[in-house]
């Protein structure tokens, strides 16, 4: 899903549709928000559907085998309704910034792949027992990402005019 955001402006340039997009009667802010929202909304919808399927399968397996485990736990709810939307916004903003600064969609895709590395590190740390991701950690991570998002959004909206966005893509 986020390849859509990473390719959003650079693909417009490569397909020669950026000029017509920039001359449409929409503000640059609305253009950025629109590109962000379609990516975030579709990714969040897919994540929630997958979570519900996971919930159904796990609870069915738990009840069939007679275990008394509560799924989902508090951590899952914090993850789904607090951290996930903030993380999706962070990723979309970074990808949007990448798209406004690269010249080809291959560059955008390659740079977008780097975003996943810190999260792979978190997964490895959790699996190896290096640390334990608990509810407090998820809440603190959400707060940290929210602060990061404020700065990323200001950076993304730095292109206040059509000329600035056009020049960033044409150079």
């Amino acid at each position: 899903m986020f390849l859509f955001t990473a390719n959003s402006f650079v693909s417009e340039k490569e397909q020669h549709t950026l000029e017509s997009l920039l001359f449409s009667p929409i503000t640059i802010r609305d253009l950025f928000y629109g590109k962000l929202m379609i990516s975030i909304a579709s990714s969040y919808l897919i994540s929630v559907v997958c979570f519900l399927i996971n919930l159904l399968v796990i609870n069915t397996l738990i009840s069939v085998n007679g275990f008394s485990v509560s799924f989902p736990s508090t951590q899952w709810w914090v993850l789904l309704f607090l951290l996930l939307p903030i993380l999706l916004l962070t990723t979309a903003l970074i990808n949007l910034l990448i798209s406004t600064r690269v010249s080809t969609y291959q560059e955008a895709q390659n740079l977008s792949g780097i975003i996943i590395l810190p999260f792979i590190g978190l997964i490895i740390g959790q699996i190896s027992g290096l640390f334990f991701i608990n509810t407090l950690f998820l809440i603190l991570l959400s707060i940290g990402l929210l602060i990061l998002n404020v700065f990323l959004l200001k950076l993304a909206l730095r292109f206040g005019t059509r000329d600035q966005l056009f020049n960033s893509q044409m150079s």
Side-chain angles (χ1 to χ4, degrees):
M1 275 302 145
F2 285 108
L3 290 180
F4 170 78
T5 313
N7 292 333
S8 59
F9 286 108
V10 73
S11 65
E12 298 279 356
K13 175 184 135 183
E14 288 184 342
Q15 296 170 7
H16 304 290
T17 57
L18 182 64
E19 295 85 0
S20 60
L21 183 64
L22 291 176
F23 287 116
S24 64
I26 186 172
T27 65
I28 295 295
R29 180 178 295 255
D30 290 342
L31 180 63
F32 271 77
Y33 286 152
K35 288 187 177 282
L36 283 174
M37 288 300 114
I38 190 67
S39 179
I40 293 168
S42 58
S43 298
Y44 191 69
L45 179 66
I46 290 169
S47 298
V48 168
V49 168
C50 289
F51 174 77
L52 292 174
I53 292 169
N54 188 23
L55 180 72
L56 179 69
V57 169
I58 289 176
N59 282 329
T60 302
L61 291 174
I62 287 172
S63 66
V64 166
N65 292 321
F67 294 111
S68 61
V69 177
S70 174
F71 182 79
S73 65
T74 306
Q75 290 175 343
W76 277 96
W77 294 117
V78 169
L79 183 67
L80 184 66
F81 293 113
L82 179 65
L83 180 60
L84 182 61
I86 294 170
L87 183 60
L88 291 174
L89 178 59
T90 305
T91 308
L93 280 167
I94 291 170
N95 279 325
L96 194 65
L97 287 168
I98 288 170
S99 180
T100 59
R101 287 172 174 70
V102 297
S103 22
T104 65
Y105 77 93
Q106 288 97 350
E107 277 182 274
Q109 288 178 345
N110 289 339
L111 288 173
S112 296
I114 295 172
I115 295 171
I116 193 104
L117 293 178
F119 302 104
I120 290 174
L122 284 175
I123 292 169
I124 291 171
Q126 174 79 12
I127 291 171
S128 67
L130 184 62
F131 56 85
F132 182 67
I133 297 176
N134 57 20
T135 305
L136 178 62
F137 176 81
L138 294 175
I139 291 171
L140 292 175
L141 181 61
S142 298
I143 292 169
L145 288 174
L146 197 56
I147 292 167
L148 176 64
N149 285 344
V150 170
F151 294 111
L152 289 173
L153 189 58
K154 286 183 180 184
L155 186 62
L157 294 176
R158 187 182 88 199
F159 294 104
T161 66
R162 287 172 165 71
D163 291 336
Q164 289 171 327
L165 183 58
F166 180 78
N167 288 334
S168 75
Q169 288 297 301
M170 293 303 140
S171 54

